[in-house]
């Protein structure tokens, strides 16, 4: 996955980026789930940025929890995280033998 937008780069935690890099090199069955998860992280961050209002006394998280778009992004993010975990579990035996 190639995406060089600032939001995409800033929304990817270092450990997720490292996992994706390792998957690209050694674990091809994990590339797709991790790529999808990284895109979901960027989408979530973008949705929070979009709804954030400096005039609102609630912090960004509080504002996001009251926005339907952010709630959908969170739901997608959790689903995609579970997809990564399922891929890890289903490939554990294969990759631990290597």
């Amino acid at each position: 996955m190639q995406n060089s937008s600032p939001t995409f780069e800033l929304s990817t935690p270092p450990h997720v980026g490292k996992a994706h890099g390792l998957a690209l090199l050694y674990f091809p069955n994990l590339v797709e789930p991790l790529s999808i998860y990284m895109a979901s992280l960027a989408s979530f961050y973008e949705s929070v940025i979009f709804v954030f209002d400096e005039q609102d006394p609630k912090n960004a998280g509080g504002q996001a929890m009251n926005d339907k778009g952010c709630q959908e992004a969170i739901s997608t993010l959790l689903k995609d995280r579970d997809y990564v975990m399922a891929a890890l579990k289903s490939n554990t035996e294969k990759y631990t033998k290597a």
Side-chain angles (χ1 to χ4, degrees), residues 4-97:
S4 60
S5 76
T7 304
F8 186 83
E9 290 174 13
L10 294 172
S11 67
T12 302
H15 65 281
V16 176
K18 289 177 185 178
H20 188 256
L22 287 171
L24 288 168
L25 293 171
Y26 303 111
F27 309 111
N29 292 343
L30 302 178
V31 172
E32 178 184 337
L34 284 165
S35 295
I36 291 170
Y37 181 60
M38 289 169 63
S40 290
L41 283 166
S43 178
F44 168 68
Y45 276 61
E46 287 176 351
S47 68
V48 172
I49 291 167
F50 181 75
V51 302
F52 181 71
D53 178 4
E54 290 183 10
Q55 305 303 316
D56 190 327
K58 293 187 291 290
N59 64 19
Q63 292 178 39
M65 294 308 297
N66 293 325
D67 181 78
K68 183 176 175 158
C70 287
Q71 291 174 0
E72 290 173 3
I74 291 168
S75 177
T76 299
L77 180 62
L78 295 175
K79 176 185 64 77
D80 292 340
R81 182 203 56 193
D82 291 345
Y83 179 39
V84 170
M85 296 309 294
L88 284 167
K89 287 179 185 176
S90 69
N91 288 286
T92 298
E93 187 174 320
K94 175 182 177 181
Y95 289 142
T96 55
K97 289 181 181 179

